[in-house]
Amino acid sequence: MEPILKMVSISKYFGTFAANEDVNLEVQKGEIHSLLGENGAGKSTLMNVLYGLYKPEKGEIFFEGKKLNLNSSKDAIDVGIGMIHQHFMLVPVHTVLENVIMGMGKEKGFIIDEAKLEKEILDIANRYGMKISLHSKVSELSVGEQQRVEIVKALYRGAKLLIMDEPTAVLTPQETEELFTTLRKMSDGGMSIILITHKLNEVMAVCDKVTVLRDGRVTGRIDIKDTNELELTKAMIGRELSPACKDNTCCKGDMVLELKDVSYEEDKGAKLLSNINLNLCAGEILGIAGVDGNGQKELAEVIAGLVHATSGNVFLGNEEITHKSISEIINMGVGYIPEDRHKRGLVLDFSVSENLILKDYCKQPFRKKVFFDFNVINNHAEKMIEKYSIKTQSKNDEARKLSGGNQQKVVVAREVDKLPKLLIAVQPTRGVDIGAIEFIHKQILKAKEQGTAVLLISTELSEINSLSDRIAVIYKGSIIGEIDQSEFEESTIGLMMAGIPKEKAMQSL
Ligand code: ADP
Ligand code: MG
C-alpha cells in the first residue's frame, strides 16, 4: 500500500550542526507510528520540518502521493497534517469552543450557526471518546483536558495525520491510558498518528511501527510485533543498559529531615504548599510523586533555604533550619540537585573544573590563605571527571559546551561526592539520555547505601518506583498520601496524583 506520508532523505542543519541527516520516514494510513529517540536525537526538528515550520536543506516530502512544498504550518494544515506541540498553544481566557474555531474564519462570519458548529465539534470528540465541555474557559481545564481540546482542534481542521510531540510527559497514568484509547480509536477510523516519545513502554503499548533516531540519523525501522524493549534500547543508545538495581532492604538510620506543618505562600498570597508533614531517615529514599507543577519545586526550595516557609518548621537532624540561608544549609551537609540545572545548578560560562567546586571554592583544600590552589582544584577536577565518566574534551571547557546529560553529571558528581547528610534531587534525570539516567540512578543509590537520606522529587513514576523506599504523592501543594514501596501500584499512585486520597484510590481498583 502506498504510504500516506513519505519523508525522503531529509537533512536539516543548524549552522554546521546536522539535527537531521538523510532521514527517511514512512507512515501508512491508519497507523500509529512512533518516532523514538533520546533527547536531542532530532525528533522535534523532523516534525517541525513536516509541519512547515523549518525548511530542510535537503529532501522531499510526499503526502497522499503528492509532493509537498511547505512554507508555513498553514500549508501543512491545509493538506491535512496536524501537530500538537509539547507546549500547548491555546488561549487561556477563551472558551474551548472559541479556541477550536479560532483562526478558521468561521467566528467572524455574519451568520454563525452556533448550534450546528457545536454539534460538529462534539461529534468529533464523541467519535473518539473524548470528553470536552465547549463553554468552559481553557484556563479552568486540567492539562489532560487542554490536550483533548488541542486534538479536537486539529481534527476539526481536517487532520488526516496527527503529530503528537511527547504528549504523555504532562499526564497522569490514567490520562495516558485515556489518550491511548483515543489514539487507537482514531487509528481504527483511518487516521495516521506520529507519536514522539522516549518512553519504550509506551511504544510497545500503543504503536504499530517505530522509527528510531539517534544523533539525527535513523538507526531502526521496526514493526512493534517483531521487537522488544531491549532491541529498541540498542537502537536508541547504541548499546545495552544495565539498569540500577536497588537493594530492597532499607536500613534506616537516624531521622535526618523532618517537616512539621510546613506551608508556603508567595508574596501575592497564593498558597503553594499547605501543611506538609514529612520525615526521612539516613539511608532512606523518599520519592515525591506528582504531576508537574503541584508544588514540587517549592517543596525543594523550602528545604534548601532558597525560600522560607510561611509557617511550620523544617528540621535537619535536631536543628531547626526553617529560617536559615541556603549557604548555612549547604554547610550543614545538604546536597541539592535542582530542577533547572542551567539556572541553579551550573554556571555555564565557568569551566567544568570550576563548576565542580562551585559551592566549596572558598574552603579548604581549594584555597590557600587568599589564593586558590589550582593544583588541588585541577587534580580534583580530573579525578571527578574520571570517576563520574563526564564526557568533556578538557576540564577547562566551559560547562555550556557539554551535552545536557554531561552537564547533569557535573551537578550530580559535585552534590553526591561530598556524601551529604541529605540529598535533595529534583527531576535529576529530566532531559538527559537513558545512558546518563542509568548512571545518575546508580549514584543516587550509592549515596543512600552510604547513609545519605535522599528526597527524590520526580514526575517520572518509573524513576520513583525503581529508587524509592517510600513514596509520598503531592497534589496542589499538599501531601495527599504516602505508600510503601511494597504497595507500589501505578494505578493507585496515578489516582492519587489526580487528587484522590489513598484509601479511595486503593478501593476503586
Ligand atoms: P529531540 O526532539 O529529539 O529531543 P531536537 O530535534 O529538539 O531533538 O534537537 C536536535 C538537535 O538539534 C539538538 O542537539 C538541539 O540542540 C539542536 N537544535 C534544535 N533546534 C535548534 C535550533 N533552533 N537552533 C540550533 N540548534 C537546534
Ligand atoms: Mg523534542
Side-chain angles (χ1 to χ4, degrees):
M1 205 168 63
E2 182 67 14
I4 184 167
L5 172 73
K6 249 168 105 170
M7 297 181 83
V8 185
S9 244
I10 302 284
S11 294
K12 170 70 203 161
Y13 295 93
F14 293 110
T16 55
F17 175 79
N20 289 152
E21 183 84 70
D22 252 329
V23 174
N24 294 308
L25 174 69
E26 284 190 10
V27 179
Q28 298 290 339
K29 185 169 162 18
E31 178 176 280
I32 306 183
H33 194 109
S34 164
L35 190 58
L36 176 72
E38 294 185 326
N39 237 273
K43 306 179 296 293
S44 295
T45 301
L46 185 68
M47 290 302 104
N48 285 331
V49 166
L50 176 57
Y51 198 50
L53 295 170
Y54 290 152
K55 271 251 166 220
E57 269 69 42
K58 200 179 109 217
E60 294 177 325
I61 305 173
F62 298 89
F63 191 71
E64 298 187 306
K66 283 194 276 301
K67 188 170 167 206
L68 297 186
N69 177 24
L70 301 171
N71 289 303
S72 70
S73 58
K74 187 174 172 304
D75 294 345
I77 293 167
D78 285 347
V79 298
I81 297 171
M83 178 155 175
I84 299 181
H85 291 86
Q86 260 164 313
H87 303 283
F88 303 149
M89 304 200 165
L90 302 170
V91 183
V93 296
H94 285 180
T95 64
V96 169
L97 180 66
E98 287 163 345
N99 268 282
V100 172
I101 62 176
M102 195 166 40
M104 292 188 72
K106 294 195 182 179
E107 81 276 31
K108 292 192 210 97
F110 293 112
I111 316 155
I112 314 173
D113 187 345
E114 195 160 319
K116 180 162 166 271
L117 211 61
E118 285 184 18
K119 185 168 177 308
E120 279 173 20
I121 296 170
L122 286 176
D123 278 351
I124 292 175
N126 291 337
R127 192 175 318 149
Y128 303 116
M130 289 180 281
K131 283 190 226 84
I132 58 170
S133 82
L134 289 177
H135 298 285
S136 305
K137 284 223 168 80
V138 163
S139 57
E140 294 159 0
L141 304 182
S142 74
V143 178
E145 288 167 317
Q146 292 184 30
Q147 191 175 66
R148 290 201 284 274
V149 176
E150 289 272 20
I151 297 174
V152 169
K153 184 174 163 180
L155 297 179
Y156 187 62
R157 279 162 174 61
K160 301 170 197 165
L161 169 75
L162 189 65
I163 307 162
M164 301 200 75
D165 196 347
E166 308 241 3
T168 64
V170 293
L171 302 180
T172 66
Q174 280 80 6
E175 287 173 324
T176 300
E177 232 355 275
E178 279 171 35
L179 172 68
F180 286 174
T181 307
T182 297
L183 295 186
R184 282 190 204 102
K185 283 190 182 146
M186 292 186 344
S187 89
D188 289 345
M191 288 269 306
S192 308
I193 294 148
I194 299 178
L195 180 73
I196 303 187
T197 182
H198 60 263
K199 295 183 188 167
L200 296 167
N201 56 344
E202 296 184 348
V203 178
M204 298 303 295
V206 76
C207 297
D208 304 306
K209 280 236 173 64
V210 52
T211 296
V212 188
L213 281 183
R214 183 167 83 234
D215 297 332
R217 291 170 181 275
V218 174
T219 52
R221 200 174 288 111
I222 312 167
D223 257 23
I224 293 298
K225 59 177 182 350
D226 303 329
T227 192
N228 52 46
E229 297 200 7
L230 191 67
E231 187 185 18
L232 293 178
T233 305
K234 274 199 221 159
M236 233 168 119
I237 65 170
R239 63 179 175 87
E240 282 176 37
L241 282 179
S242 62
C245 190
K246 180 162 62 101
D247 167 8
N248 259 332
T249 55
C250 162
C251 86
K252 290 200 300 190
D254 297 340
M255 179 90 79
V256 172
L257 176 72
E258 196 174 4
L259 272 71
K260 285 189 181 159
D261 268 330
V262 168
S263 296
Y264 170 63
E265 284 170 28
E266 260 186 331
D267 297 340
K268 286 166 244 147
K271 202 160 192 180
L272 299 176
L273 295 176
S274 46
N275 303 92
I276 302 239
N277 289 292
L278 285 175
N279 54 64
L280 173 58
C281 296
E284 186 187 30
I285 300 182
L286 173 64
I288 305 285
V291 177
D292 209 6
N294 274 282
Q296 290 96 326
K297 179 169 147 277
E298 291 76 14
L299 177 63
E301 292 188 351
V302 156
I303 300 169
L306 279 147
V307 299
H308 298 295
T310 323
S311 62
N313 317 82
V314 186
F315 293 91
L316 188 67
N318 296 322
E319 197 162 348
E320 178 159 9
I321 58 166
T322 320
H323 299 288
K324 287 199 189 304
S325 70
I326 178 153
S327 58
E328 286 173 302
I329 292 174
I330 287 170
N331 287 334
M332 289 172 73
V334 174
Y336 182 30
I337 303 172
E339 176 168 13
D340 184 344
R341 59 179 168 265
H342 288 169
K343 221 159 92 194
R344 301 218 186 269
L346 292 170
V347 182
L348 292 175
D349 293 330
F350 283 14
S351 69
V352 171
S353 65
E354 286 165 327
N355 271 291
L356 282 166
I357 58 162
L358 209 53
K359 293 177 177 169
D360 298 314
Y361 58 92
C362 287
K363 288 189 219 143
Q364 294 289 352
F366 303 118
R367 200 140 185 180
K368 256 197 236 151
K369 297 202 181 119
V370 294
F371 299 106
F372 290 118
D373 188 334
F374 284 106
N375 276 334
V376 176
I377 292 174
N378 287 334
N379 283 339
H380 174 74
E382 272 159 20
K383 256 199 290 185
M384 296 282 276
I385 287 168
E386 158 94 38
K387 183 170 169 192
Y388 290 93
S389 323
I390 297 164
K391 264 193 230 149
T392 174
Q393 295 195 359
S394 146
K395 60 183 182 302
N396 301 317
D397 271 2
E398 287 170 11
R400 73 167 70 253
K401 280 198 187 160
L402 272 56
S403 73
N406 281 290
Q407 289 177 347
Q408 187 70 339
K409 281 187 187 174
V410 172
V411 178
V412 171
R414 186 185 66 214
E415 299 303 314
V416 168
D417 199 70
K418 61 187 180 191
L419 283 184
K421 253 189 249 161
L422 169 68
L423 176 67
I424 308 166
V426 190
Q427 303 287 8
T429 59
R430 176 180 280 177
V432 311
D433 57 67
I434 46 182
I437 291 177
E438 168 195 29
F439 184 85
I440 290 167
H441 283 176
K442 284 182 181 162
Q443 301 310 317
I444 291 175
L445 288 174
K446 212 151 102 196
K448 165 201 146 115
E449 279 157 26
Q450 293 175 319
T452 293
V454 183
L455 185 73
L456 170 70
I457 302 181
S458 174
T459 53
E460 294 282 341
L461 268 191
S462 57
E463 174 164 84
I464 294 270
N465 183 28
S466 61
L467 300 179
S468 312
D469 301 302
R470 246 181 331 129
I471 298 149
V473 181
I474 193 165
Y475 175 73
K476 290 195 174 166
S478 296
I479 298 295
I480 192 145
E482 234 185 76
I483 67 168
D484 200 72
Q485 209 284 334
S486 60
E487 306 172 286
F488 184 94
E489 274 291 342
E490 187 164 290
S491 40
T492 312
I493 302 224
L495 289 173
M496 290 166 73
M497 283 163 71
I500 295 163
K502 178 181 169 186
E503 284 66 33
K504 232 172 133 195
M506 290 179 105
Q507 273 164 22
S508 67
L509 294 166

